Amino acid sequence: MSALSDYIKKELERARDEIKASLSGQKINASGRSADGFRVRTTDTRAQLYYSRDGGGAPLTTLEHGRPAGAVPRNFTEIIEQWSRDKGLRFTDEKERRRFAGAVAYGKIKRFGYGRPSPARYGSRTYNWTLPVQEAGDRLKKGLPWYTKNYITDLIYK
């Protein structure tokens, strides 16, 4: 792989890492599967930052806008209970944990959805991953002329 290819790949990986850090910092990434869905793929002629749901991450529109209110899975209370254990939330006993899970699953989420911010507070989006991508594009636009010139010079004078 040439220095030019390495440079492009590093910039795309940097953008991917910024997206992951931002998802984690905004606490949008509960399981980690969504952040792990952002990947960098390179070939001899192409470099690409893309999102794959192979690992079970949420759709990008869900990350961006949140889920609407509506039906929840039959075992959703158990899912919330397990999530609270995984996150280390402390309760006085398991009965309190079940009460909490039921309130979250059927109270708030079923009636209101989740991840939907108020437009006055956040604008229209929960998370916007386009900023790290735009910044990577700007860095590439600035750096590519120099790398391209050196790459061509190396090819000519080898």
Side-chain angles (χ1 to χ4, degrees), residues 54-69:
D54 292 343
L60 286 179
T61 54
T62 300
L63 289 176
E64 190 171 14
H65 299 289
R67 289 195 198 278

Side-chain angles (χ1 to χ4, degrees), residues 23 26 28 58-69 112-119 122-130:
L23 284 170
Q26 293 182 24
I28 296 172
L60 286 179
T61 54
T62 300
L63 289 176
E64 190 171 14
H65 299 289
R67 289 195 198 278
F112 304 111
Y114 64 91
R116 291 190 169 261
S118 69
Y122 296 105
S124 64
R125 296 180 172 178
T126 301
Y127 176 70
N128 186 343
W129 51 85
T130 57

